[in-house]
Amino acid sequence: MLSGLIVYSSFDKEKNAWFIESCQKYFKSKGIALFYLDDDQVLNYILKNRVDFVIYRARDYRLLEQLERMGIRCFNNASTNKIANNKQLTYQFFIDHRIDCLSMFLTIDKL
C-alpha cells in the first residue's frame, strides 16, 4: 500500500482542515494511506516510517530539498515552493519566461 503525507505549518492547519480531510478521504478510497503532519514533525516521522510521497503545503523549501534527496516524491517540489513563496523570485521567474506581469520595484526603505 502506498503511504503519503500531507503537510502544512501548524499555523495553517486549522484553516485548511477541510482540504486535508478531503484529501485523506479521497486517497483512502484509492487504497492509499495519507497522514497529516505539521512541517516540524516530518523528518522525525520519515526516519521511523516509510513514505512514498509528500503533498507539501508549508513554505520551507529547504525541508523539501532534504526530502527530495532522500528519494521521496514531493508535490509541490522544492524549486516550485521556493519561487512561489518569494515575491522577488516569482517576479524574476515571470520576467525570465516572458510572462506578462506588473512591474516590481525593490526598496531598502522601511515603511
Side-chain angles (χ1 to χ4, degrees), residues 1 5 7-8 13 16 18-20 23 26 32-33 39 52-53 55 60-62 66 71 73 77 83 92 94 97 102:
M1 173 188 272
L5 300 176
V7 178
Y8 279 88
K13 176 184 176 180
N16 291 288
W18 177 85
F19 182 73
I20 294 166
C23 287
Y26 175 79
I32 301 169
D39 58 343
D52 299 300
F53 66 93
I55 300 170
D60 186 359
Y61 71 89
R62 294 165 299 186
Q66 288 180 308
R73 199 153 180 205
N77 64 30
I83 292 168
Q92 192 59 53
F94 285 177
H97 292 85
L102 297 174

Side-chain angles (χ1 to χ4, degrees), residues 8-71:
Y8 279 88
S9 67
S10 57
F11 176 78
D12 292 328
K13 176 184 176 180
E14 190 173 314
K15 65 183 171 184
N16 291 288
W18 177 85
F19 182 73
I20 294 166
E21 291 168 13
S22 295
C23 287
Q24 288 175 316
K25 186 176 180 179
Y26 175 79
F27 278 83
K28 184 177 182 179
S29 75
K30 301 297 181 187
I32 301 169
L34 184 67
F35 303 100
Y36 171 81
L37 287 179
D38 290 341
D39 58 343
D40 61 353
Q41 302 170 318
V42 172
L43 287 178
N44 192 39
Y45 182 87
I46 287 174
L47 292 174
K48 300 174 185 170
N49 300 279
R50 186 187 66 121
V51 174
D52 299 300
F53 66 93
V54 173
I55 300 170
Y56 191 79
R57 306 285 296 152
R59 294 172 185 87
D60 186 359
Y61 71 89
R62 294 165 299 186
L63 175 58
L64 280 169
E65 288 174 339
Q66 288 180 308
L67 299 177
E68 289 171 355
R69 280 193 299 271
M70 295 168 76

